[in-house]
């Protein structure tokens, strides 16, 4: 299922929240409505909690995580790190990273198995990503953009990339990630899909401006709920069989 929501007056849901299959972090502030939207969908399955990073609310752009770990920029305070560690489920590794390109959410995109990273990322940071998140790491660009975290969103089910990504690039990235990809937009035509939404293997949250067409593409590529093609085929087939005498 894909849900529309808004943080204060911003549609950039992926800036103010971070969602994985094991936990969800949401920025302080905004209306409680934003937090409760996440809570309503997720609280039965994974912990949903407020956090800040470097005393800012843009935690979705500063941190990157998956079911194995969470990477934070070096500017994260000890108190913030302790709060995040205490809020996370057992077994999630949390680590601060000394990296010049400190907006890790913009420079890294990852699911539970593979990560794409900015071409200029330090070798040490690349090793930390591989180690803490437990993933294979590839240095890539998306449609010529080095900020792979901003211009893509990948889960274990599928991924969306910058709308100007060529078919050849999509095929190459898809074979690296081993998931289907689509070039698309969110929030009524925004190419910054990483900042415009968050998603995991069963739910996605997009900005309030996201059109119904964009929502249906999101639900289809991430295989969310009723948009799953195989399920539709099964239901149609079942309906036909039931109606036969």
């Amino acid at each position: 299922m894909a849900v529309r929501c808004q943080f204060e007056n911003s549609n950039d849901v992926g800036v103010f929240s971070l969602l994985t299959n094991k936990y969800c972090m949401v920025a302080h502030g905004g209306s409680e409505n934003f937090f409760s939207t996440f809570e309503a969908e997720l609280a039965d399955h994974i912990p949903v909690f407020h956090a800040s990073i470097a005393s800012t609310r843009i935690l979705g752009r500063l941190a990157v995580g998956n079911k194995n770990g969470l990477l934070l920029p070096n500017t994260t305070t000890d108190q913030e790190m302790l709060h995040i560690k205490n809020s996370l489920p057992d077994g999630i590794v949390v680590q601060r990273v000394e990296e010049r390109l400190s907006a890790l959410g913009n420079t890294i995109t990852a699911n539970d198995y593979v990560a794409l990273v900015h071409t200029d990322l330090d070798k040490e940071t690349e090793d930390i990503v591989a180690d803490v998140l437990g993933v294979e790491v590839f240095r890539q660009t998306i449609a010529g953009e080095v900020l792979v975290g901003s211009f893509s969103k990948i889960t274990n089910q599928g991924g969306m990339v910058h709308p100007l990504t060529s078919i050849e690039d999509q095929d190459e990235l898809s074979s690296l990630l081993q998931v289907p990809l689509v070039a698309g937009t969110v929030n009524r035509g925004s190419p910054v899909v990483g900042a415009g939404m968050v998603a995991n293997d069963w739910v996605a949250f997009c900005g309030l401006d996201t059109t119904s067409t964009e929502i249906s593409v999101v639900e289809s590529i991430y295989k969310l709920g009723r948009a799953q093609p195989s399920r539709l085929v099964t239901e149609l087939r079942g309906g036909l069989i039931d109606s036969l005498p």
Side-chain angles (χ1 to χ4, degrees):
M1 183 167 147
V3 183
R4 292 186 182 99
C5 55
Q6 200 171 36
F7 185 88
E8 292 179 357
N9 275 337
S10 173
N11 287 300
D12 291 326
V13 176
V15 172
F16 302 103
S17 60
L18 190 152
L19 173 62
T20 72
N21 288 330
K22 288 284 184 73
Y23 55 88
C24 177
M25 293 199 305
V26 180
H28 289 289
S31 65
E32 274 307 300
N33 206 5
F34 184 72
F35 183 77
S36 59
T37 305
F38 283 85
E39 213 171 29
E41 295 295 327
L42 300 168
D44 292 344
H45 311 286
I46 57 175
V48 183
F49 58 93
H50 282 297
S52 65
I53 294 177
S55 303
T56 69
R57 302 190 294 181
I58 54 170
L59 49 84
R61 300 298 84 211
L62 296 180
V64 63
N66 65 8
K67 69 169 187 180
N68 302 315
L70 176 65
L71 294 175
L72 302 170
N74 197 42
T75 46
T76 311
T77 66
D78 294 343
Q79 194 176 357
E80 287 168 339
M81 191 161 170
L82 191 63
H83 166 67
I84 290 169
K85 270 184 173 172
N86 291 339
S87 305
L88 289 173
D90 294 340
I92 306 286
V93 183
V94 183
Q95 187 162 335
R96 272 189 290 218
V97 182
E98 282 268 6
E99 168 61 54
R100 183 176 55 87
L101 303 166
S102 60
L104 302 175
N106 286 337
T107 54
I108 302 165
T109 185
N111 62 15
D112 292 339
Y113 306 102
V114 187
L116 303 179
V117 302
H118 190 295
T119 48
D120 295 338
L121 212 68
D122 284 352
K123 180 72 179 87
E124 288 158 37
T125 306
E126 186 186 328
D127 294 342
I128 291 169
V129 170
D131 190 38
V132 173
L133 301 186
V135 292
E136 272 191 276
V137 181
F138 300 100
R139 290 176 185 265
Q140 284 290 330
T141 60
I142 292 173
E145 301 281 356
V146 287
L147 295 176
V148 289
S150 302
F151 293 101
S152 70
K153 181 66 203 164
I154 58 171
T155 70
N156 301 330
Q157 306 292 331
M160 186 179 280
V161 293
H162 191 291
L164 299 181
T165 311
S166 67
I167 298 294
E168 294 78 24
D169 285 358
Q170 284 179 53
D171 289 344
E172 184 189 344
L173 292 169
S174 186
S175 66
L176 286 178
L177 297 166
Q178 294 294 297
V179 294
L181 292 181
V182 67
T185 60
V186 290
N187 297 328
R188 205 179 293 275
S190 167
V192 195
V193 291
M197 72 170 168
V198 290
N200 67 10
D201 287 356
W202 70 88
V203 68
F205 298 87
C206 312
L208 217 53
D209 281 351
T210 305
T211 65
S212 55
T213 310
E214 287 170 338
I215 288 273
S216 64
V217 172
V218 166
E219 288 187 330
S220 178
I221 195 64
Y222 295 120
K223 300 182 174 62
L224 305 174
R226 302 191 67 80
Q228 198 163 332
S230 59
R231 182 178 297 182
L232 290 175
V233 171
T234 309
E235 285 177 3
L236 283 170
R237 192 177 290 143
L240 284 168
I241 291 166
D242 287 347
S243 62
L244 288 171

